Coordinates of all heavy atoms in Angstrom, one line a residue:
M1 N 43.5 102.9 129.5 CA 44.0 104.1 130.2 C 45.5 104.1 130.2 O 46.2 105.1 129.9 CB 43.5 104.0 131.7 CG 43.6 105.3 132.4 SD 42.6 106.7 131.7 CE 43.2 108.0 132.7
A2 N 46.1 102.9 130.6 CA 47.5 102.8 130.6 C 48.1 102.9 129.2 O 49.1 103.5 128.9 CB 47.9 101.4 131.1
K3 N 47.3 102.4 128.2 CA 47.7 102.5 126.8 C 47.8 103.9 126.3 O 48.8 104.3 125.7 CB 46.6 101.7 125.9 CG 47.2 100.7 125.0 CD 46.1 100.0 124.2 CE 46.6 98.7 123.6 NZ 45.5 98.0 122.9
S4 N 46.8 104.7 126.7 CA 46.8 106.1 126.2 C 47.9 106.9 126.9 O 48.5 107.7 126.3 CB 45.4 106.7 126.5 OG 45.5 107.8 127.4
S5 N 48.2 106.5 128.2 CA 49.3 107.2 128.8 C 50.7 106.9 128.2 O 51.5 107.8 128.0 CB 49.3 106.9 130.3 OG 50.6 106.7 130.8
R6 N 50.8 105.7 127.7 CA 52.1 105.3 127.0 C 52.2 106.1 125.7 O 53.3 106.5 125.3 CB 52.2 103.8 126.8 CG 53.5 103.3 126.4 CD 53.6 101.9 126.2 NE 53.3 101.1 127.4 CZ 52.9 99.8 127.4 NH1 52.7 99.2 126.3 NH2 52.7 99.2 128.6
S7 N 51.1 106.1 125.0 CA 51.1 106.8 123.7 C 51.4 108.3 123.9 O 52.0 108.9 123.1 CB 49.8 106.5 123.0 OG 49.1 107.7 122.8
N8 N 50.9 108.8 125.0 CA 51.2 110.2 125.3 C 52.7 110.4 125.6 O 53.3 111.4 125.1 CB 50.4 110.7 126.5 CG 49.0 111.2 126.1 OD1 48.8 111.4 124.9 ND2 48.2 111.4 127.1
N9 N 53.3 109.4 126.3 CA 54.7 109.5 126.5 C 55.5 109.4 125.2 O 56.5 110.1 125.0 CB 55.2 108.3 127.5 CG 54.9 108.7 128.9 OD1 54.7 109.9 129.2 ND2 55.0 107.7 129.8
N10 N 55.1 108.5 124.3 CA 55.7 108.4 123.0 C 55.7 109.7 122.3 O 56.6 110.1 121.7 CB 55.1 107.3 122.2 CG 55.6 105.9 122.7 OD1 56.6 105.8 123.4 ND2 54.9 104.9 122.3
K11 N 54.5 110.3 122.3 CA 54.3 111.6 121.6 C 55.2 112.6 122.2 O 55.9 113.4 121.5 CB 52.9 112.1 121.8 CG 52.0 111.7 120.6 CD 50.6 112.2 120.8 CE 49.6 111.4 120.0 NZ 48.2 111.6 120.5
R12 N 55.4 112.6 123.6 CA 56.2 113.6 124.2 C 57.7 113.4 123.8 O 58.4 114.3 123.5 CB 56.1 113.5 125.7 CG 56.7 114.7 126.4 CD 56.5 114.7 127.9 NE 55.1 114.8 128.3 CZ 54.6 114.5 129.5 NH1 55.4 114.0 130.4 NH2 53.4 114.7 129.8
S13 N 58.1 112.1 123.8 CA 59.5 111.8 123.4 C 59.8 112.3 121.9 O 60.8 112.8 121.6 CB 59.9 110.3 123.5 OG 59.1 109.7 124.4
F14 N 58.7 112.0 121.1 CA 58.9 112.4 119.7 C 59.0 113.9 119.6 O 59.8 114.4 118.9 CB 57.7 111.9 118.9 CG 57.8 112.1 117.5 CD1 58.7 111.5 116.7 CD2 56.9 113.1 116.9 CE1 58.8 111.7 115.3 CE2 57.1 113.4 115.5 CZ 58.0 112.7 114.7
C15 N 58.2 114.6 120.4 CA 58.2 116.0 120.4 C 59.6 116.6 120.9 O 60.1 117.5 120.3 CB 57.1 116.5 121.4 SG 56.4 118.1 120.8
I16 N 60.1 115.9 121.9 CA 61.4 116.4 122.4 C 62.5 116.1 121.3 O 63.3 116.9 121.1 CB 61.7 115.6 123.7 CG1 60.8 116.2 124.9 CG2 63.2 115.7 124.1 CD1 60.8 115.4 126.1
F17 N 62.3 115.0 120.7 CA 63.3 114.6 119.6 C 63.2 115.7 118.5 O 64.3 116.2 118.0 CB 62.9 113.2 119.0 CG 63.7 112.9 117.8 CD1 65.0 112.5 117.8 CD2 63.0 112.9 116.5 CE1 65.7 112.2 116.7 CE2 63.7 112.6 115.4 CZ 65.0 112.3 115.5
I18 N 62.0 116.1 118.1 CA 61.8 117.1 117.1 C 62.5 118.4 117.5 O 63.2 119.1 116.8 CB 60.3 117.3 116.8 CG1 59.8 116.1 116.1 CG2 60.1 118.6 115.9 CD1 60.3 115.8 114.7
I19 N 62.2 118.8 118.8 CA 62.8 120.1 119.3 C 64.3 120.0 119.3 O 64.9 121.0 118.8 CB 62.2 120.4 120.7 CG1 60.7 120.8 120.6 CG2 63.1 121.5 121.4 CD1 60.0 120.8 122.0
F20 N 64.9 118.9 119.7 CA 66.3 118.8 119.6 C 66.9 118.8 118.2 O 67.9 119.5 117.9 CB 66.8 117.5 120.4 CG 67.0 117.7 121.8 CD1 66.1 117.2 122.7 CD2 68.1 118.4 122.3 CE1 66.2 117.5 124.1 CE2 68.3 118.6 123.7 CZ 67.3 118.2 124.6
S21 N 66.1 118.2 117.3 CA 66.6 118.2 115.9 C 66.6 119.7 115.4 O 67.5 120.1 114.7 CB 65.6 117.4 115.0 OG 65.6 116.1 115.5
L22 N 65.5 120.4 115.7 CA 65.4 121.8 115.3 C 66.5 122.6 115.9 O 67.2 123.4 115.2 CB 64.0 122.4 115.7 CG 62.8 121.9 114.8 CD1 61.6 122.5 115.4 CD2 63.0 122.4 113.4
L23 N 66.8 122.4 117.2 CA 67.9 123.1 117.8 C 69.2 122.8 117.1 O 70.0 123.7 116.9 CB 68.0 122.7 119.3 CG 67.0 123.4 120.2 CD1 67.1 122.9 121.6 CD2 67.2 124.9 120.2
L24 N 69.4 121.5 116.8 CA 70.6 121.1 116.1 C 70.8 121.8 114.7 O 71.8 122.4 114.4 CB 70.6 119.6 115.9 CG 72.0 119.0 115.5 CD1 73.0 119.1 116.6 CD2 71.8 117.5 115.1
I25 N 69.6 121.8 114.0 CA 69.6 122.5 112.7 C 70.0 124.0 112.8 O 70.8 124.5 112.1 CB 68.3 122.3 112.0 CG1 68.2 120.8 111.6 CG2 68.1 123.2 110.8 CD1 66.7 120.4 111.2
L26 N 69.3 124.6 113.8 CA 69.6 126.0 114.1 C 71.0 126.3 114.4 O 71.6 127.2 114.0 CB 68.7 126.6 115.2 CG 67.2 126.8 114.8 CD1 66.4 127.2 116.0 CD2 67.1 127.8 113.7
T27 N 71.6 125.4 115.3 CA 73.0 125.6 115.7 C 73.9 125.5 114.5 O 74.8 126.3 114.3 CB 73.3 124.5 116.7 OG1 72.4 124.5 117.7 CG2 74.7 124.8 117.3
V28 N 73.6 124.5 113.6 CA 74.4 124.3 112.4 C 74.3 125.5 111.5 O 75.3 126.0 111.0 CB 74.0 123.0 111.7 CG1 74.7 122.9 110.3 CG2 74.4 121.8 112.5
A29 N 73.0 125.9 111.3 CA 72.8 127.1 110.4 C 73.5 128.3 111.0 O 74.1 129.1 110.2 CB 71.3 127.3 110.3
E30 N 73.5 128.5 112.3 CA 74.1 129.7 112.8 C 75.6 129.6 112.9 O 76.3 130.6 112.9 CB 73.6 130.0 114.3 CG 72.3 130.7 114.3 CD 71.8 131.1 115.6 OE1 72.6 131.5 116.5 OE2 70.6 130.9 115.9
S31 N 76.1 128.4 112.8 CA 77.6 128.3 112.8 C 78.2 128.5 111.4 O 79.4 128.7 111.3 CB 78.0 126.9 113.4 OG 77.7 125.9 112.4
K32 N 77.3 128.5 110.4 CA 77.8 128.7 109.1 C 78.6 130.0 108.8 O 79.6 130.0 108.3 CB 76.7 128.5 108.0 CG 76.6 127.1 107.5 CD 75.5 126.9 106.5 CE 75.4 125.4 106.1 NZ 74.1 125.2 105.4
P33 N 77.9 131.1 109.2 CA 78.7 132.4 109.0 C 80.0 132.4 109.7 O 81.0 133.0 109.2 CB 77.7 133.5 109.5 CG 76.4 132.8 109.6 CD 76.7 131.4 109.8
V34 N 80.1 131.8 110.8 CA 81.4 131.8 111.6 C 82.4 131.0 110.8 O 83.5 131.5 110.6 CB 81.2 131.1 112.9 CG1 82.5 131.0 113.7 CG2 80.2 131.9 113.8
S35 N 82.0 129.8 110.2 CA 83.0 129.1 109.5 C 83.4 129.8 108.2 O 84.5 129.6 107.7 CB 82.5 127.7 109.2 OG 81.4 127.8 108.3
R36 N 82.4 130.6 107.7 CA 82.7 131.3 106.4 C 83.8 132.4 106.7 O 84.7 132.5 105.9 CB 81.5 132.0 105.9 CG 81.5 132.3 104.4 CD 80.2 133.0 104.0 NE 79.1 132.1 104.1 CZ 77.8 132.5 104.4 NH1 77.6 133.8 104.6 NH2 76.8 131.7 104.5
T37 N 83.7 133.1 107.8 CA 84.7 134.1 108.1 C 86.0 133.4 108.5 O 87.1 134.0 108.5 CB 84.3 135.1 109.2 OG1 83.9 134.3 110.4 CG2 83.1 135.9 108.8
G38 N 85.9 132.2 109.0 CA 87.1 131.5 109.5 C 87.9 130.8 108.4 O 88.9 130.2 108.7
I39 N 87.5 131.0 107.1 CA 88.3 130.4 106.0 C 89.6 131.1 105.9 O 89.6 132.3 105.5 CB 87.5 130.4 104.7 CG1 86.2 129.6 104.8 CG2 88.4 129.9 103.5 CD1 85.3 129.8 103.6
S40 N 90.7 130.4 106.3 CA 92.0 131.1 106.3 C 92.7 130.9 105.0 O 93.7 131.6 104.7 CB 92.8 130.6 107.4 OG 92.9 129.2 107.4
E41 N 92.2 130.0 104.1 CA 92.8 129.8 102.8 C 92.5 131.0 101.8 O 93.2 131.2 100.9 CB 92.4 128.5 102.2 CG 92.7 127.3 103.0 CD 91.5 126.8 103.8 OE1 90.6 126.2 103.2 OE2 91.5 127.1 105.0
A42 N 91.4 131.7 102.2 CA 91.0 132.8 101.3 C 92.1 133.9 101.4 O 92.8 134.0 102.4 CB 89.7 133.4 101.8
P43 N 92.3 134.7 100.3 CA 93.3 135.7 100.4 C 93.1 136.6 101.5 O 92.0 137.0 101.9 CB 93.1 136.5 99.1 CG 92.3 135.6 98.2 CD 91.5 134.7 99.1
A44 N 94.2 137.0 102.1 CA 94.2 137.9 103.3 C 93.6 139.3 102.8 O 93.9 139.7 101.7 CB 95.6 138.2 103.9
P45 N 92.7 139.9 103.6 CA 92.1 141.1 103.2 C 93.2 142.2 103.1 O 94.1 142.3 103.9 CB 91.1 141.5 104.4 CG 91.5 140.6 105.5 CD 92.2 139.4 104.9
L46 N 93.1 143.0 102.0 CA 94.1 144.0 101.8 C 93.7 145.3 102.5 O 92.5 145.7 102.5 CB 94.2 144.2 100.3 CG 95.0 143.2 99.5 CD1 94.8 143.5 98.0 CD2 96.4 143.3 99.9
I47 N 94.6 145.9 103.1 CA 94.4 147.2 103.7 C 95.1 148.2 102.7 O 96.4 148.1 102.6 CB 95.0 147.3 105.1 CG1 94.5 146.2 106.0 CG2 94.7 148.7 105.7 CD1 93.1 146.2 106.4
C48 N 94.4 149.1 102.1 CA 95.1 150.1 101.3 C 95.1 151.4 102.0 O 94.1 152.0 102.4 CB 94.3 150.3 100.0 SG 95.3 151.2 98.8
D49 N 96.4 151.8 102.3 CA 96.6 153.1 103.1 C 96.6 154.3 102.2 O 96.3 155.4 102.6 CB 97.9 153.0 103.8 CG 97.9 151.8 104.8 OD1 96.8 151.6 105.5 OD2 98.9 151.1 104.9
L50 N 96.9 154.1 100.9 CA 97.0 155.2 100.0 C 96.7 154.8 98.6 O 97.3 153.8 98.1 CB 98.4 155.8 100.0 CG 98.6 157.1 99.2 CD1 97.8 158.3 99.7 CD2 100.1 157.5 99.2
A51 N 95.7 155.4 98.0 CA 95.3 155.1 96.6 C 95.7 156.2 95.7 O 95.8 157.3 96.1 CB 93.8 154.8 96.5
F52 N 95.9 155.8 94.4 CA 96.3 156.8 93.4 C 95.4 156.7 92.2 O 95.1 155.5 91.7 CB 97.8 156.5 93.0 CG 98.3 157.3 91.9 CD1 98.7 158.6 92.1 CD2 98.4 156.7 90.6 CE1 99.2 159.3 91.0 CE2 98.8 157.5 89.5 CZ 99.3 158.8 89.7
G53 N 94.9 157.8 91.7 CA 94.0 157.8 90.6 C 94.8 157.8 89.3 O 95.7 158.6 89.1
V54 N 94.6 156.8 88.4 CA 95.3 156.7 87.2 C 95.1 157.9 86.3 O 93.9 158.3 86.1 CB 95.0 155.4 86.5 CG1 95.7 155.3 85.1 CG2 95.4 154.2 87.3
K55 N 96.1 158.5 85.8 CA 96.0 159.6 84.9 C 96.4 159.2 83.5 O 97.0 158.1 83.3 CB 96.9 160.8 85.3 CG 96.5 161.4 86.6 CD 97.2 162.7 86.9 CE 98.7 162.6 87.1 NZ 99.1 162.0 88.3
S56 N 96.1 160.0 82.5 CA 96.4 159.7 81.1 C 97.9 159.4 81.0 O 98.7 160.2 81.4 CB 95.9 160.8 80.2 OG 96.3 160.6 78.9
G57 N 98.2 158.3 80.3 CA 99.6 158.0 80.1 C 100.3 157.2 81.2 O 101.4 156.7 81.0
D58 N 99.6 157.0 82.3 CA 100.1 156.2 83.4 C 100.1 154.7 83.0 O 99.2 154.2 82.3 CB 99.3 156.4 84.7 CG 99.7 157.6 85.4 OD1 100.9 158.1 85.2 OD2 98.9 158.1 86.2
T59 N 101.1 154.0 83.5 CA 101.2 152.6 83.4 C 101.4 152.0 84.8 O 101.9 152.8 85.6 CB 102.3 152.1 82.4 OG1 103.5 152.5 83.0 CG2 102.2 152.7 81.0
C60 N 101.2 150.7 84.9 CA 101.5 150.1 86.2 C 102.9 150.3 86.6 O 103.3 150.6 87.7 CB 101.2 148.6 86.2 SG 99.4 148.2 86.2
F61 N 103.8 150.2 85.5 CA 105.2 150.3 85.8 C 105.6 151.7 86.3 O 106.3 151.8 87.3 CB 106.0 150.0 84.5 CG 107.4 150.0 84.6 CD1 108.1 148.9 85.3 CD2 108.2 151.0 84.1 CE1 109.5 148.9 85.4 CE2 109.6 151.1 84.3 CZ 110.2 150.0 84.9
N62 N 105.1 152.7 85.6 CA 105.6 154.1 86.1 C 104.9 154.5 87.4 O 105.5 155.2 88.2 CB 105.5 155.1 85.0 CG 104.1 155.6 84.7 OD1 103.2 155.6 85.6 ND2 103.8 156.0 83.5
I63 N 103.7 154.0 87.7 CA 103.1 154.2 89.0 C 103.9 153.5 90.1 O 104.3 154.1 91.1 CB 101.6 153.8 89.0 CG1 100.8 154.6 88.0 CG2 101.0 153.9 90.4 CD1 99.4 154.0 87.7
A64 N 104.2 152.2 89.8 CA 105.0 151.5 90.8 C 106.3 152.2 91.1 O 106.7 152.4 92.2 CB 105.2 150.1 90.3
Q65 N 107.0 152.6 90.0 CA 108.3 153.2 90.1 C 108.2 154.5 90.8 O 109.0 154.8 91.7 CB 108.8 153.5 88.7 CG 110.3 153.0 88.5 CD 110.8 153.3 87.1 OE1 110.2 154.1 86.4 NE2 111.8 152.6 86.8
G66 N 107.1 155.3 90.5 CA 106.9 156.6 91.1 C 106.7 156.5 92.6 O 107.0 157.4 93.4
F67 N 106.2 155.4 93.1 CA 105.9 155.2 94.5 C 107.0 154.3 95.2 O 106.8 153.9 96.3 CB 104.5 154.7 94.8 CG 103.5 155.8 94.5 CD1 102.9 156.0 93.3 CD2 103.1 156.7 95.5 CE1 102.0 157.0 93.1 CE2 102.2 157.7 95.3 CZ 101.7 157.9 94.1
G68 N 108.0 153.9 94.4 CA 109.1 153.1 95.0 C 108.7 151.7 95.3 O 109.1 151.1 96.3
L69 N 107.8 151.2 94.5 CA 107.3 149.8 94.7 C 107.9 148.9 93.7 O 108.1 149.2 92.5 CB 105.8 149.7 94.5 CG 104.9 150.5 95.5 CD1 103.5 150.6 95.0 CD2 104.9 149.9 96.9
S70 N 108.3 147.7 94.1 CA 108.7 146.7 93.2 C 107.5 146.1 92.5 O 106.4 146.3 93.0 CB 109.5 145.5 93.9 OG 108.6 144.8 94.7
S71 N 107.7 145.4 91.4 CA 106.5 144.9 90.7 C 105.8 143.9 91.5 O 104.5 143.8 91.5 CB 106.9 144.3 89.3 OG 107.8 143.2 89.5
G72 N 106.5 143.1 92.4 CA 105.9 142.2 93.3 C 105.0 142.8 94.3 O 103.9 142.4 94.6
E73 N 105.6 143.9 94.9 CA 104.8 144.7 95.9 C 103.6 145.3 95.3 O 102.5 145.2 95.8 CB 105.7 145.8 96.5 CG 106.8 145.3 97.4 CD 107.8 146.4 97.7 OE1 108.0 147.3 96.9 OE2 108.4 146.3 98.8
F74 N 103.7 145.8 94.1 CA 102.6 146.4 93.4 C 101.5 145.4 93.1 O 100.4 145.6 93.4 CB 103.1 147.0 92.0 CG 102.0 147.7 91.2 CD1 101.8 149.0 91.4 CD2 101.2 147.0 90.3 CE1 100.8 149.7 90.7 CE2 100.2 147.6 89.6 CZ 100.0 149.0 89.9
E75 N 101.9 144.2 92.6 CA 100.9 143.2 92.4 C 100.2 142.7 93.6 O 99.1 142.3 93.6 CB 101.6 142.0 91.6 CG 101.7 142.2 90.1 CD 102.5 141.2 89.4 OE1 102.5 140.0 89.9 OE2 103.2 141.6 88.5
S76 N 101.0 142.6 94.7 CA 100.4 142.0 96.0 C 99.4 143.0 96.6 O 98.4 142.5 97.2 CB 101.5 141.7 97.0 OG 102.0 142.9 97.6
I77 N 99.5 144.3 96.3 CA 98.5 145.2 96.9 C 97.4 145.6 95.8 O 96.5 146.2 96.1 CB 99.1 146.5 97.5 CG1 100.0 147.2 96.5 CG2 99.9 146.1 98.8 CD1 100.5 148.5 97.1
N78 N 97.7 145.1 94.5 CA 96.7 145.4 93.5 C 96.3 144.1 92.7 O 96.6 144.0 91.5 CB 97.2 146.4 92.5 CG 97.4 147.8 93.1 OD1 96.4 148.5 93.3 ND2 98.6 148.2 93.4
P79 N 95.8 143.1 93.5 CA 95.6 141.7 92.9 C 94.6 141.7 91.8 O 94.6 140.9 90.9 CB 95.2 140.9 94.0 CG 94.6 141.8 95.1 CD 95.4 143.1 94.9
N80 N 93.7 142.7 91.8 CA 92.6 142.7 90.8 C 92.8 143.7 89.7 O 91.9 144.0 88.9 CB 91.3 143.0 91.5 CG 90.9 141.9 92.6 OD1 91.1 140.7 92.3 ND2 90.5 142.4 93.7
V81 N 94.0 144.4 89.7 CA 94.2 145.3 88.6 C 94.8 144.7 87.4 O 95.8 143.9 87.5 CB 95.1 146.5 89.2 CG1 95.6 147.4 88.0 CG2 94.4 147.3 90.2
N82 N 94.2 144.9 86.3 CA 94.7 144.4 85.0 C 95.5 145.5 84.3 O 94.9 146.4 83.8 CB 93.4 143.9 84.2 CG 93.9 143.3 82.8 OD1 95.1 143.4 82.5 ND2 92.9 142.7 82.2
C83 N 96.8 145.3 84.4 CA 97.6 146.4 83.9 C 97.5 146.6 82.4 O 97.9 147.6 81.9 CB 99.1 146.1 84.3 SG 99.3 146.4 86.1
T84 N 97.1 145.6 81.6 CA 96.9 145.8 80.2 C 95.6 146.5 79.9 O 95.4 146.8 78.7 CB 97.0 144.4 79.4 OG1 96.1 143.5 80.1 CG2 98.4 143.9 79.4
A85 N 94.8 146.6 80.9 CA 93.5 147.3 80.7 C 93.3 148.4 81.7 O 92.2 148.7 82.2 CB 92.3 146.3 80.8
L86 N 94.4 149.1 82.0 CA 94.4 150.2 82.9 C 93.6 151.4 82.3 O 93.8 151.7 81.1 CB 95.9 150.7 83.2 CG 96.2 151.3 84.5 CD1 96.0 150.3 85.7 CD2 97.6 151.8 84.5
F87 N 92.8 152.0 83.1 CA 92.0 153.1 82.5 C 92.2 154.4 83.4 O 92.4 154.3 84.6 CB 90.6 152.8 82.3 CG 89.9 152.3 83.6 CD1 89.3 153.2 84.5 CD2 89.8 150.9 83.9 CE1 88.6 152.8 85.6 CE2 89.2 150.5 85.0 CZ 88.6 151.4 85.9
V88 N 92.0 155.5 82.8 CA 92.1 156.8 83.5 C 91.0 156.9 84.5 O 89.9 156.6 84.2 CB 92.0 158.0 82.5 CG1 92.0 159.3 83.2 CG2 93.2 157.9 81.5
G89 N 91.4 157.3 85.7 CA 90.4 157.4 86.8 C 90.4 156.1 87.7 O 89.7 156.1 88.7
Q90 N 91.0 155.1 87.2 CA 91.0 153.8 88.0 C 91.9 154.0 89.3 O 92.9 154.8 89.2 CB 91.7 152.7 87.2 CG 91.7 151.4 87.9 CD 92.1 150.2 87.0 OE1 92.6 150.4 85.9 NE2 91.9 149.0 87.5
W91 N 91.4 153.4 90.4 CA 92.2 153.6 91.6 C 93.2 152.4 91.8 O 92.8 151.3 91.6 CB 91.2 153.6 92.8 CG 90.5 154.9 92.8 CD1 89.2 155.1 92.4 CD2 91.0 156.2 93.2 NE1 88.9 156.4 92.6 CE2 89.9 157.1 93.1 CE3 92.2 156.7 93.7 CZ2 90.0 158.5 93.3 CZ3 92.3 158.1 94.0 CH2 91.3 158.9 93.8
I92 N 94.4 152.8 92.0 CA 95.5 151.9 92.2 C 96.0 152.1 93.6 O 96.1 153.2 94.1 CB 96.7 152.2 91.2 CG1 96.2 152.1 89.7 CG2 97.9 151.5 91.5 CD1 95.9 150.6 89.3
C93 N 96.2 151.0 94.3 CA 96.7 151.1 95.6 C 98.3 151.2 95.6 O 98.9 150.4 94.9 CB 96.4 149.8 96.4 SG 96.9 149.9 98.1
V94 N 98.8 152.2 96.2 CA 100.2 152.5 96.1 C 100.9 152.3 97.5 O 102.1 152.4 97.6 CB 100.6 153.9 95.5 CG1 100.2 153.9 94.0 CG2 99.8 155.0 96.3
E95 N 100.1 152.2 98.5 CA 100.6 151.9 99.9 C 99.6 151.1 100.6 O 98.5 151.5 100.8 CB 100.9 153.3 100.6 CG 101.8 153.2 101.7 CD 102.0 154.5 102.4 OE1 102.3 155.5 101.8 OE2 101.7 154.6 103.6
G96 N 100.0 149.9 101.0 CA 99.0 149.1 101.7 C 99.7 147.8 102.2 O 100.9 147.7 102.1
S97 N 98.9 147.0 102.8 CA 99.4 145.8 103.4 C 98.3 144.8 103.5 O 97.2 145.1 103.4 CB 99.9 146.1 104.8 OG 98.9 146.7 105.6
E98 N 98.8 143.5 103.6 CA 97.8 142.4 103.7 C 97.6 142.2 105.2 O 98.5 142.2 106.0 CB 98.3 141.2 103.1 CG 98.1 141.2 101.5 CD 98.8 140.0 100.9 OE1 98.4 138.9 101.1 OE2 99.8 140.3 100.1
D99 N 96.3 142.1 105.6 CA 95.9 142.0 107.0 C 96.0 140.5 107.3 O 95.0 139.8 107.0 CB 94.6 142.6 107.2 CG 94.2 142.5 108.7 OD1 95.1 142.2 109.5 OD2 93.0 142.7 109.0
F100 N 97.0 140.0 107.9 CA 97.2 138.6 108.2 C 96.6 138.3 109.6 O 96.7 137.1 110.0 CB 98.6 138.2 108.2 CG 99.2 138.2 106.8 CD1 100.1 139.1 106.4 CD2 98.7 137.3 105.8 CE1 100.6 139.1 105.1 CE2 99.2 137.3 104.5 CZ 100.2 138.2 104.2
S101 N 96.1 139.3 110.3 CA 95.6 139.0 111.7 C 94.4 138.1 111.7 O 93.7 138.1 110.8 CB 95.3 140.3 112.4 OG 94.2 141.0 111.7
Ligands
LIG201 C1 93.3 142.3 80.9 O1 92.7 143.1 79.9 C2 93.0 142.7 78.5 C3 92.5 143.7 77.6 O2 91.1 144.0 77.8 C4 92.4 141.3 78.3 O3 92.8 140.9 77.0 C5 93.0 140.3 79.3 O4 92.4 139.1 79.2 C6 92.8 140.9 80.7 N1 93.5 140.0 81.7 C7 92.9 139.5 82.8 C8 93.8 138.7 83.6 O5 91.8 139.8 83.0

């Protein structure tokens, strides 16, 4: 009788252990998306306030010049634009900022 009661206690502790383990796993799993958004080494999200559709004959240089942007400013708001493969109808950001908040 005493034996069986001890074994029940062991089962209960084991069960509690399993429940805590599951809670821990869930906590870790749920904290993952938070740490993903918290990566500050990732490039700051760009806010584009004004976009310009590339027309025939446009180049990065004349677009930047037309909007009074230096090549550095142009590149910082258009990090994914390949100026050697610019195509008509491509959207170029001509006024924007990096969101450092
Ligand atoms: C840009 O486009 C040109 C022409 O398609 C290609 O040769 C070059 O590798 C591209 N550069 C980048 C950084 O993707």
